[in-house]
Amino acid sequence: MFGQLTHQGQHVLRVELTRLGWLAARIDGGPHALFDVTISKQLKELVDRADRDPSIHAVIFTGAHPDRFLSHADVTWLQEGGVGFPPINTSIAGVVTRMARAINKIPIVRTLAAWTKLKTLLQLDSLHATFLKMNASGTIFIAALNGSALAFGAEFAWACDLRIMADGDYLIGMTEVLLALTPGGGGSQRLSRLIGPQQTLLATLEGRLFTPAEALALGAIDEVVPQTNLVARAIERAEYLSLRSKKSLGAIKRSVYFGSSLSLEEGLQLEHAEFLVLDQSKEAQQLMLKYIAATETTGDLPLMNRKTYARALSAGRLGD
Amino acid sequence: MFGQLTHQGQHVLRVELTRLGWLAARIDGGPHALFDVTISKQLKELVDRADRDPSIHAVIFTGAHPDRFLSHADVTWLQEGGVGFPPINTSIAGVVTRMARAINKIPIVRTLAAWTKLKTLLQLDSLHATFLKMNASGTIFIAALNGSALAFGAEFAWACDLRIMADGDYLIGMTEVLLALTPGGGGSQRLSRLIGPQQTLLATLEGRLFTPAEALALGAIDEVVPQTNLVARAIERAEYLSLRSKKSLGAIKRSVYFGSSLSLEEGLQLEHAEFLVLDQSKEAQQLMLKYIAATETTGDLPLMNRKTYARALSAGRLGD
Amino acid sequence: MFGQLTHQGQHVLRVELTRLGWLAARIDGGPHALFDVTISKQLKELVDRADRDPSIHAVIFTGAHPDRFLSHADVTWLQEGGVGFPPINTSIAGVVTRMARAINKIPIVRTLAAWTKLKTLLQLDSLHATFLKMNASGTIFIAALNGSALAFGAEFAWACDLRIMADGDYLIGMTEVLLALTPGGGGSQRLSRLIGPQQTLLATLEGRLFTPAEALALGAIDEVVPQTNLVARAIERAEYLSLRSKKSLGAIKRSVYFGSSLSLEEGLQLEHAEFLVLDQSKEAQQLMLKYIAATETTGDLPLMNRKTYARALSAGRLGD
C-alpha cells in the first residue's frame, strides 16, 4: 500500500483512502522524523474529516522514516514557544491554558493571536483539542509503530485507540526530564491511565524508555508483531472494528476515556446518557426487534448460541 | 441450601435467610435467564433490607439456570424503552438522566412518571441507584457466577464486591456493540475501574467475552473454583467477612469505590471523614482501649504478634 | 551512615545531611516503633525544608527499630481523638474535615484550636497536608522499608515516591478493620492508585497484610532487596534521580499524582500548565538551544543516539 511512496524531504501527513471503511496516513517528519506545525494542521484536518464522515471507521498512522514512528516534536518550535512570555508560574499557566482553549474556538481572534507571542501556546492547545477529538470520535485510530517514538512521538501513539509496534531495536517513552522539561502532549495523563500512575511516574522521572517487549508487558502498547506484518496487522484490526456501528464505537470510547476518570457517579451518568441516545437509534431498534424475533423462532437467545455469537463478531453485529 | 428449589418459570429473586449474618438469593430469570423489571424491584427491596439490617453482613447472588448466572437484560424491555422519545442527542440525554435521578427521589412524581414514556428510563435509573447503594453499603455483595453472564449479567456481577466464578465453558463480558448499543448498566465504568480503561475499551469495542481464566487474569473476576464448590466457597467468603464490623466494611467500601475516582485531595477528605466517624464509635473506642491495655500487659503491640494477628483475622477483630 | 546512631528511647526523626543532594532520616518511634505527634511535627519541618531548599533533591526514610519501619500510629493518640466530640455522621465529618483544612492555614486560630477537642483532628489534617506536600514537591521521597509497616506505617510508605523493602519475614498493609476502624492516613486512596481499587478493597476489608514478594507483585512496593543492601540501594536511587532538574521532577510528580485522578480534560490542562512554566525556564531554554545546535553539528537528534541517551540518563540531562 505504502510501497510507492518515497521520502520527499518535506514534513507532511500523507493520506491515502485505501478502501471503504479505513484510511491510512504516513507521517513524514523529514529526515529527523519530527512532528511540527505543518503536520499538526494536517492531523487536525484529517481527524475532523474522519470524525465527520460516517463512512470512515478507522485511521491507521505509521511513520515514513525507516526505523522511527516519530522521533519527537520539533525542538525549535518548543524552544521558541517558551521565549517572550513574561515569566509565569503554574497557577497563571493554568489560566493561560484555559484562555487558549477559549480563544481557539473563535477563528478571528485566533488569526490575530497567531501573530502574537501566544502562537506556540495556541498551536499546542489546538493539538490537545485534536487528540481529545480522537478520543471522543466513533472513528478508531490505530498507531502502527514502525520504529521508535520518543516524547511527543509516544504521546501521539497514546492518543490513539490501539498501538501495534514492530518488533526490533526500537524504544518508546518520555524523555522530557532530560531537557529539564515535563511532558506537554498529554503523555503523563494518558500513560497513567494505560499503565497506572506509579509506572508512569517512575519512568517519566528517570526519562527511561521501554523496549517493545517492556511496553507490551506494562500495557503501554497493545501488540508487538514482526516489522513485515505491521501494516497488515493494523489493517486487519481496522477492518475488524470497522464492521461495528460507528455510533456504538464512539459511545463506548467516550464512556471509557472520559467516564473512567470522572467520579463513579458522574461516570455512570455519562454512560447512561450515551446508552439512552443509542437505545433510540434506528439501527439498534432494528437489531433489537430482530433479536426478539430470533429468540422466539429458535427458542434460545442468539447471543447464547456460540455459532451465532462467532458470526456476529465477524460481521460486526448480530443477525446479519 | 438451594437444592430443594425447582425452577417455576417465573422471574423472581428467591431469597433465603440461611444463617445469622448472610443471605443467599437465587436469580431466576426464567428459561432464558433474563433480568427484567420484576427482578429489578425485588433486588432493590433486598438491597434496602440488607443495608438497613445491622445483622445482615453479606448477600450471595447466584443463578437458577443450570449454566447461566444471568444471560442479559430482557431485550423487549430495552427496545420498548427506546421508542416514543423525541430523538435526543447525548447532551440532552445527560439532562434527562439527571432529571430521572431527581424524579426517582419523589415517590408521587415517580408513580405518575411511571405511566409516561419515561418509564424504562426511570426503571434503569432506579437500577443504577440500587447498584450504587450496594457499593456504599456495609453489607458485602458476592456474585457466585454459576455460568455465563453477558451484558447486563456481567454488569450485575461487577456491581458486587466479590466475583467467584465456576470453572467451565462459560463466558462473561459486554456484547452491547453487536446490537449497535453501548453498555448502560454501569459496565463501562465498573470494569474500567477493575481491569483498567484500555482492556475495557478493547473488549467492549469488539464485543469480546472472557473465559473464566481470562477474566481472572485480567481482574474482571476474583476467583475461579469448580462448579461443585461454588456456593460453598461464596459462603466461606461471606462468613469470613461477616465477622468484621459492618460499619468498618461500609466505610472502607465507600472510601475505595467513591474516593478512588475523585481527585486525590477530595478522595483524602472522604477517607478522613469516614475515619472521624468510626474513631468515635463505641466499638472502635472499646477495641482501642483494649489494644492499649494489651500492649501494656504483654509488652508488645498485639498486631505485631503473629498469633494474635492470625486470631484477629479469624475472629474479625482484635482482642476477642 | 546510620551506624553510629543508637536507640535512645524517645520518639524522634533523626535527620542527617549526608551529601549534597539528599538527606536521610531515621524514624525512631521508640521500642514499639510508633508514629506520634512529635514525629509528625518533625516530619512537617523536614518536608518543608526539603521542598524549599533547591539543593535537597531526595529524602530517604528508614526505621530505627531492627525489624520495623513503623508499626503503626500511637493508638492512644487516635483513641483520645475520638472522645469528646458530639457524635457525628459522615456528612458532618466531611464539613469538619474541610474546616480543619481551612483552620490549619491560620497559625493563630490553630494555636487556639489546639487546646480544644479538635486537637487530634487538626493534627491528622496537618499530617495529610504534609503528605500532599510530599506528592507535590520536586524533592523525591524514598521509603527504605527495613521491616514491617502496618496501618499508618504503610500509609506513610505509600505517601513516598518510591518504596524499597528489605527481604525477610516482614509485612505491610492496612489492619484498621480489625479495630473496627477504617484507614485515615490516606491509605485507601494511595493504595487504590498504586495497585487498583479491587485489590485494595479486598485486602482492606479483610485486614490482610502483604509479604514483600506479594507487595512487589501487586505494585504496593517498587523493589525488594536484601536487608544488608537496603540503605545503599535507596541512596543509589536517590543519587540517580537527584541529578535531574528539581523543577522537572516536581512538575512530573504533580502531573501524575494530581492529574491522573482528575477528569481527562482537567488532567491535560494541569499537565499543559506545568509544561508552559518549564518551557520558559532558563535551564530548559539552554538545554533546548544546545539540543538544536547538536542536531546541526552531528547531523542527528541527540536523543536518537544510544550513547548520547545513555550518557544523559547517567548525567540527569542531555548535553552535559
Side-chain angles (χ1 to χ4, degrees), chain A residues 155-202:
Chain A
E155 293 177 301
F156 188 152
W158 291 325
C160 293
D161 302 305
L162 257 174
R163 286 150 290 281
I164 307 173
M165 192 164 183
D167 199 10
D169 187 20
Y170 310 127
L171 296 170
I172 183 169
M174 294 190 286
T175 49
E176 289 82 350
V177 73
L178 302 176
L179 283 165
L181 288 169
T182 189
S188 71
Q189 303 308 301
R190 289 195 177 85
L191 189 61
S192 288
R193 285 159 176 84
L194 285 172
I195 69 170
Q198 183 66 7
Q199 294 305 319
T200 302
L201 181 75
L202 295 182

Side-chain angles (χ1 to χ4, degrees), chain C residues 153-172:
Chain C
E155 294 177 300
F156 187 151
W158 291 325
C160 293
D161 302 306
L162 256 176
R163 284 151 291 281
I164 307 173
M165 193 164 182
D167 198 10
D169 187 20
Y170 310 128
L171 296 168
I172 182 168

Side-chain angles (χ1 to χ4, degrees), chain A residues 42-275:
Chain A
Q42 293 174 338
L43 176 66
K44 182 190 180 309
E45 283 161 23
L46 175 61
V47 169
D48 284 347
R49 173 184 159 200
D51 179 56
R52 214 172 34 231
D53 185 339
S55 74
I56 303 177
H57 291 259
V59 174
I60 298 166
F61 295 110
T62 195
H65 193 282
D67 55 8
R68 299 182 194 173
F69 174 71
L70 202 49
S71 302
H72 49 61
D74 180 352
V75 177
T76 306
W77 179 31
L78 301 182
Q79 183 270 320
E80 288 177 353
V83 178
F85 276 112
I88 49 174
N89 62 24
T90 312
S91 76
I92 298 179
V95 176
V96 174
T97 310
R98 277 191 295 278
M99 237 180 52
R101 191 166 299 274
I103 292 174
N104 247 348
K105 285 178 185 149
I106 311 162
I108 301 172
V109 181
R110 190 182 178 181
T111 310
L112 290 172
W115 293 101
T116 75
K117 297 293 186 194
L118 283 169
K119 194 172 160 178
T120 302
L121 169 62
L122 287 173
Q123 288 165 349
L124 279 174
D125 195 70
S126 168
L127 201 44
H128 274 283
T130 300
F131 283 172
L132 279 170
K133 190 168 218 171
M134 287 165 62
N135 291 156
S137 173
T139 304
I140 302 295
F141 294 92
I142 301 178
L145 292 144
N146 60 302
S148 291
L150 275 50
F152 186 79
E155 293 177 301
F156 188 152
W158 291 325
C160 293
D161 302 305
L162 257 174
R163 286 150 290 281
I164 307 173
M165 192 164 183
D167 199 10
D169 187 20
Y170 310 127
L171 296 170
I172 183 169
M174 294 190 286
T175 49
E176 289 82 350
V177 73
L178 302 176
L179 283 165
L181 288 169
T182 189
S188 71
Q189 303 308 301
R190 289 195 177 85
L191 189 61
S192 288
R193 285 159 176 84
L194 285 172
I195 69 170
Q198 183 66 7
Q199 294 305 319
T200 302
L201 181 75
L202 295 182
T204 314
L205 290 175
E206 295 180 25
R208 176 162 42 93
L209 297 168
F210 307 124
T211 63
E214 288 166 346
L216 184 66
L218 287 169
I221 60 172
D222 300 292
E223 285 185 52
V224 177
V225 299
Q227 181 70 267
T228 50
N229 289 359
L230 179 69
V231 174
R233 176 61 182 152
I235 291 173
E236 190 182 7
R237 294 289 283 156
E239 292 185 340
Y240 184 75
L241 290 166
S242 289
L243 297 164
R244 284 144 178 81
S245 154
K246 185 169 177 173
K247 284 183 185 170
S248 279
L249 298 180
I252 292 166
K253 285 176 59 179
R254 290 186 295 273
S255 293
V256 172
Y257 284 131
F258 302 122
S260 74
S261 55
L262 294 176
S263 73
L264 179 57
E265 280 196 84
E266 289 172 312
L268 290 168
Q269 289 200 6
L270 173 65
E271 186 204 84
H272 197 165
E274 296 287 355
F275 175 81

Side-chain angles (χ1 to χ4, degrees), chain C residues 113-134:
Chain C
W115 294 101
T116 75
K117 298 292 185 193
L118 284 170
K119 193 172 162 179
T120 301
L121 170 63
L122 287 173
Q123 288 165 350
L124 280 174
D125 194 70
S126 167
L127 199 45
H128 274 283
T130 300
F131 283 172
L132 280 169
K133 189 168 219 173
M134 286 164 63

Side-chain angles (χ1 to χ4, degrees), chain B residues 170-192:
Chain B
Y170 309 128
L171 296 169
I172 182 168
M174 293 189 288
T175 49
E176 288 83 350
V177 73
L178 302 176
L179 283 166
L181 288 168
T182 189
S188 71
Q189 303 308 301
R190 289 195 176 85
L191 188 61
S192 289

Side-chain angles (χ1 to χ4, degrees), chain C residues 158-192:
Chain C
W158 291 325
C160 293
D161 302 306
L162 256 176
R163 284 151 291 281
I164 307 173
M165 193 164 182
D167 198 10
D169 187 20
Y170 310 128
L171 296 168
I172 182 168
M174 295 189 286
T175 49
E176 288 82 351
V177 73
L178 302 175
L179 283 165
L181 288 169
T182 190
S188 71
Q189 302 308 301
R190 289 195 176 86
L191 187 61
S192 289

Side-chain angles (χ1 to χ4, degrees), chain A residues 161 163 222 237 244 248 255 259 262 264 267 269 271 275-276 279-280 285 291 299-300 306 309 313 318, chain B residues 68 72 78-79 85-86 88 98 101 169 178 180-184 186 188-189 193 198 205-207 209 261:
Chain A
D161 302 305
R163 286 150 290 281
D222 300 292
R237 294 289 283 156
R244 284 144 178 81
S248 279
S255 293
L262 294 176
L264 179 57
Q269 289 200 6
E271 186 204 84
F275 175 81
L276 289 177
D279 192 33
Q280 295 180 77
Q285 281 287 323
Y291 192 90
D300 201 4
R306 296 295 167 99
Y309 170 63
L313 283 180
L318 275 154
Chain B
R68 301 182 193 172
H72 49 61
L78 300 182
Q79 183 271 322
F85 275 112
I88 48 174
R98 278 191 294 280
R101 192 166 299 275
D169 187 20
L178 302 176
L181 288 168
T182 189
S188 71
Q189 303 308 301
R193 287 159 174 84
Q198 183 66 8
L205 290 175
E206 295 180 24
L209 297 169
S261 54

Side-chain angles (χ1 to χ4, degrees), chain A residues 72 88 169 180 186 188 193 207, chain C residues 248 262 271 280 291 306 309:
Chain A
H72 49 61
I88 49 174
D169 187 20
S188 71
R193 285 159 176 84
Chain C
S248 279
L262 294 177
E271 187 204 83
Q280 295 180 76
Y291 192 89
R306 296 296 167 98
Y309 170 63

